[in-house]
Structures are given as structure tokens and as C-alpha cells.
Amino acid sequence: MKNTALTETHEALGAKIVPFAGYNMPVQYEGVNIEHETVRNAVGVFDVSHMGEFLIEGEHALELIQSVSSNDASKLTIGKAQYSCLPNDEGGIVDDLIIYKIKEEQYLLVVNASNIEKDWNWIQSKNTVGATMRNLSEDYSLLAIQGPKAIEAMQSLTSHDLSAIKFYNFVVGDFAGIEHVIISATGYTGSGGFEIYCKNSEIKQVWDEVLEAGSDFGIKPIGLAARDTLRLEMGYCLYGNDIDDTTSPIEAGLSWITKFTKDFTNSKALKAEKERGPERKLIAFELDERGIPRQGYDIVDNQGKIIGKVTSGTMSPSLGKGIGLGYVPTIFSDVSSKINIQIRKKAIPATVIKLPFYKS
């Protein structure tokens, strides 16, 4: 297992450390529910330095990105970021990612930790245009400062007006006494905030300054378990659970990042799938009775026939009820449709709902 530059800091804070995506990562500190509520109501800071970063540069950088990604990166201007995915040749997804336009002919791709090597090899195999590629994953750290008090709590650490950075926009500037930091108004929680990219050698200073600046606002370090419950309440897909090499972006509800104004990997087949309609869809559901849906549980119809499986599920800390995502045949996917989740020997009734689960 690899360590992030902050692993010893997390251990000193009493975090429970677990193996995750090849790294020793803090899964929780005080407890999932406390940490979840901290982010929903105040501000919390996550170490997500296990994520991967690729720099793609040169006159053919955009051409390569356009050919491997589903969204239209030509729409990006300097200082803007875009959510996208890397389709494979069989109709599935290599990974989902965020693309940042740093400068003209320079882009930063942020990928999932478990897919760093896979993504690098995939993009490299498609790089027939000679774009310059650099894997910065081992050199950079990433903090997610999330919650409704993030702007107010962090403003003292930078000369940039944090309130002026719109969602999925970023600046490169000073933060916590460090120059040339990426301050990005992105995140995975649905409660606002920023993601901070800097070098490994700088991250301890940034972490300490963030906790000090946020102390008057109730900031706490937050583990990956709460990150998962927060993202699930928003219905954000998690690679390996809700999307993978066998799920298409169309059936996963990601048509909005799949733009057929250009050619990209497997675009013709995905366009045809969108036009005819997918055979199955990723749905969101709430349990009508008490219970906790878990990944892998069967979704069944009223006759007890298995129609799908739960891909993500939990007891929602904000809503106090069981929630989840899963794939079912399209005929069961309409909002208000009734399904059942097989929890041990009992089929618990559930209702298909429109995302997000948590409405701020």
C-alpha cells in the first residue's frame, strides 16, 4: 500500500486507516454520521491525494482529449473544468474524470485512484497525434474542503475572492502561503466548497493552515466513508460501483456528458443506443420501510423475480432512510415506480425517485 503525504498526520489525529485503491487512506475519524453532518452544515476537509493527475500538452492536446472523452472539451476556456468519461470500445466506461483547461494547449485530467495505470495506458494507446503526456499522480496532493461555510472559512488564506469562483471554475494562485495552487470550485458532496491541488512537499503546510483557518467555523477532518454517503445522497456515480467497463454512459444517466457533436471512442454505437433507448437504466430509490440496502443486494419485482442489483446503498444520514442506486430494465425505471430490495430473507418495498436524494 502507498501512503499519501499526509498519512502520518491522519494517524496522529486518530483516524481509522484502511487500504483503498492501493493507498492507506483515512476512512473515518469521529464517525461517519458526525463527519457527514459536519460537511452538510459547516465545513470539513478530506485528503483525496490518492486521485490521479495527468497533464496533456501541445498543439495536439485537445485533439487527443476530444478523441478519448465523451464530453466536448472544445467548450472549455482557461479557468474552466468539465466532468466527462472515457468510453471503451465495447460500450462501457474506462473511467470518469474531470478535465481542467490550465492554459492554451495545456489540460489537467483528474482520474480515479484505482484506475491511474489503466487510464494512463488507455489514453497513451489512443495518442496517435503526438500529444505530450505527463503522469503527475505521484507528485501532487489534493484536498477537498467542502461545506456551506467553506468560502467564509478559507477566504483568509488567499488573495482571490473565493465567492467569485463559480461552480466548475478554478484559479491558479496563492493559498495558505503557497504560490501556484489550483483552487477549484468542484467537489463530490453537493454542499459546495473547493478542491486544492499542490505539490506533495507543500500539502502539510496547506493542511495545517486550512484546519487553523477553519477552526472558528467548526472544521473537522473527514474520512472516505462520509465522502461516500455524501456523494450517494446527491446520486453521484462511483466508479467500480455504479459505472464500470460494462455500463454505458447512456444507461448510467450520463447522456448529459456524452456529446455527439464530435467523434470519440465508440461514439457511433453510443449514439445509436441513445436513439433507440437503453435496455436498462440506473435508477435511484428510497426504501418505503426500515432497512439498509447494500451493494450487491438483489432488486426484485412484485413476483420475487430478480430484475437487477443494488450498485450503491446506505442509510442516509441526512434523510434517516435507506437509499440506493441500481440498474433495472427500463420498464421499471420511471419515477414513482415500485420495486423491492431483497434484504436477507425479506423483500423491502422501495420507490424510484428523481435525484438528488438530498435537496439542500
Side-chain angles (χ1 to χ4, degrees):
M1 289 294 116
K2 297 177 183 177
N3 292 326
T4 75
L6 292 172
T7 299
E8 290 183 2
T9 301
H10 301 312
E11 290 172 341
L13 289 168
K16 180 182 178 183
I17 305 291
V18 300
F20 181 82
Y23 284 80
N24 291 311
M25 297 297 293
V27 67
Q28 67 178 47
Y29 298 82
E30 293 181 73
V32 179
N33 287 357
I34 293 172
E35 293 169 33
H36 182 108
E37 292 303 318
T38 296
V39 174
R40 283 281 180 252
N41 299 316
V43 59
V45 56
F46 304 76
D47 176 16
V48 282
S49 301
H50 60 318
M51 300 290 282
E53 294 88 16
F54 305 154
L55 199 66
I56 299 185
E57 303 176 280
E59 60 178 319
H60 299 296
L62 179 60
E63 186 179 352
L64 173 60
I65 290 167
Q66 287 287 72
S67 71
V68 297
S69 65
S70 63
N71 211 333
D72 187 356
S74 71
K75 302 292 186 185
L76 285 171
T77 54
I78 295 170
K80 291 190 179 293
Q82 182 185 78
Y83 180 56
S84 191
C85 76
L86 304 173
N88 64 24
D89 293 317
E90 288 77 45
I93 299 171
V94 178
D95 202 4
D96 61 337
L97 73 163
I98 297 179
I99 301 169
Y100 293 82
K101 184 168 185 177
I102 307 295
K103 301 175 183 175
E104 291 299 337
E105 300 184 353
Q106 186 182 74
Y107 298 83
L108 182 70
L109 276 54
V110 180
V111 303
N112 285 300
S114 57
N115 291 334
I116 292 172
E117 185 177 1
K118 181 178 84 163
D119 293 356
W120 177 263
N121 292 339
W122 175 260
I123 297 171
Q124 200 170 47
S125 74
K126 301 291 185 179
N127 186 14
T128 58
V129 294
T132 301
M133 294 176 56
R134 286 197 283 159
N135 187 349
L136 307 178
S137 305
E138 297 286 330
D139 304 319
Y140 278 78
S141 293
L142 171 58
L143 297 185
I145 304 161
Q146 298 283 290
K149 295 183 180 178
I151 292 175
E152 192 179 2
M154 295 298 112
Q155 186 56 67
S156 66
L157 296 182
T158 179
S159 61
H160 291 274
D161 180 1
L162 295 179
S163 66
I165 307 175
K166 296 177 181 177
F167 193 45
Y168 267 75
N169 284 242
F170 68 94
V171 297
V172 179
D174 63 290
F175 188 84
I178 307 292
E179 297 294 330
H180 308 298
V181 173
I182 294 176
I183 309 168
S184 174
T186 47
Y188 199 44
T189 65
S191 283
F194 301 91
E195 292 183 303
I196 305 295
Y197 298 81
C198 66
K199 294 177 180 176
N200 290 345
S201 59
E202 301 165 337
I203 194 63
K204 181 62 165 64
Q205 177 177 324
V206 173
W207 173 271
D208 290 343
E209 293 272 347
V210 164
L211 286 179
E212 185 176 342
S215 60
D216 291 340
F217 300 88
I219 197 169
K220 292 181 180 180
I222 312 295
L224 293 184
R227 180 173 155 93
D228 191 50
T229 56
L230 289 157
R231 71 92 193 167
L232 183 50
E233 286 187 345
M234 300 307 298
Y236 296 153
C237 289
L238 173 63
Y239 195 90
N241 284 44
D242 315 302
I243 51 176
D244 59 31
D245 288 299
T246 69
T247 60
S248 87
I250 308 304
E251 62 190 14
L254 297 177
S255 292
W256 63 281
I257 63 163
T258 310
K259 305 293 173 60
F260 300 112
T261 52
K262 59 164 194 167
D263 288 329
F264 57 88
T265 306
N266 208 40
S267 58
K268 287 184 175 62
L270 291 174
K271 185 178 182 182
E273 182 186 12
K274 183 177 181 180
E275 288 171 349
R276 71 174 177 265
E279 295 180 2
R280 62 173 188 164
K281 287 185 178 179
L282 184 66
I283 56 152
F285 63 84
E286 291 180 348
L287 295 189
D288 299 335
E289 298 176 8
R290 190 146 186 89
I292 304 177
R294 301 290 188 194
Q295 181 190 19
Y297 283 8
D298 288 332
I299 303 173
V300 300
D301 64 15
N302 288 334
Q303 281 70 51
K305 179 185 175 184
I306 297 173
I307 57 172
K309 285 192 182 298
V310 176
T311 56
S312 289
T314 194
M315 173 62 71
S316 165
S318 300
L319 306 178
K321 62 175 69 175
I323 63 171
L325 303 173
Y327 286 94
V328 297
T330 303
I331 56 170
F332 294 96
S333 67
D334 290 341
V335 171
S336 300
S337 294
K338 295 295 183 179
I339 55 173
N340 300 278
I341 310 301
Q342 192 71 41
I343 302 179
R344 290 177 288 279
K345 295 183 179 180
K346 188 176 181 184
I348 306 293
T351 303
V352 176
I353 66 116
K354 183 179 179 181
L355 288 170
F357 296 103
Y358 174 78
K359 298 171 177 65
S360 56

